[in-house]
Amino acid sequence: MNNNRTMHATMAHPKREGPIRSPKNFAQKEVDLAETPLFFPEGYEKIFIAIYFVTLPYIAGLMFLFFYVAEGSPELFLSLNEESSFMLTWAIGYEIIAGLIILWIIKMSLGFANANRQPSSKQFRRP
């Protein structure tokens, strides 16, 4: 009986699953500006961020005014554009872009959480 105990103690069993990795927080994910869809030339990043901060919301605001408010009518859009200021159009576009970015961040965080979810160790069996 002693012989069986020693043999059993020296046996090695292979692991069924890989080691459990510690999940990273979404906020600790590395951010690389080279992967962004916007163009940031090296050395001029701050200038281009300022340009994008002014132009992208204004363009989004103009598109919203043209397609949604003026319903695609150039005459109505031109009359609206004469009465609205730059800041109003920019603010409309800023809110649209901010909402889209928030939705994109939520989508990325849900995808990140699903990727880090550990599979359950219990196998489903029919009774």
Side-chain angles (χ1 to χ4, degrees):
M1 197 171 233
N2 268 347
N3 193 14
N4 287 342
R5 285 186 185 169
T6 8
M7 189 165 84
H8 181 65
T10 59
M11 285 180 77
H13 298 285
K15 292 184 178 182
R16 292 184 182 176
E17 295 178 7
I20 298 174
R21 58 188 168 141
S22 62
K24 287 185 171 182
N25 289 337
F26 181 72
Q28 294 174 345
K29 191 176 176 183
E30 293 292 323
V31 176
D32 187 16
L33 285 179
E35 295 177 3
T36 59
L38 300 176
F39 178 66
F40 293 116
E42 197 170 323
Y44 298 104
E45 292 91 354
K46 292 180 182 179
I47 295 170
F48 273 79
I49 286 176
I51 291 171
Y52 292 146
F53 184 74
V54 172
T55 58
L56 290 179
Y58 184 70
I59 292 170
L62 284 175
M63 288 176 51
F64 175 78
L65 287 175
F66 181 72
F67 290 113
Y68 189 74
V69 176
E71 299 173 350
S73 170
E75 296 83 21
L76 185 56
F77 172 70
L78 290 175
S79 68
L80 282 173
N81 201 20
E82 289 174 1
E83 295 173 6
S84 64
S85 67
F86 172 80
M87 284 305 292
L88 178 66
T89 306
W90 183 87
I92 291 170
Y94 179 81
E95 291 299 324
I96 291 169
I97 289 177
L100 291 175
I101 288 174
I102 287 174
L103 290 174
W104 181 53
I105 289 172
I106 291 171
K107 179 193 167 284
M108 285 192 331
S109 64
L110 290 175
F112 189 77
N114 286 339
N116 282 335
R117 185 178 297 159
Q118 297 175 2
S120 63
S121 60
K122 204 177 205 182
Q123 293 286 338
F124 176 74
R125 293 184 182 173
R126 290 186 180 253

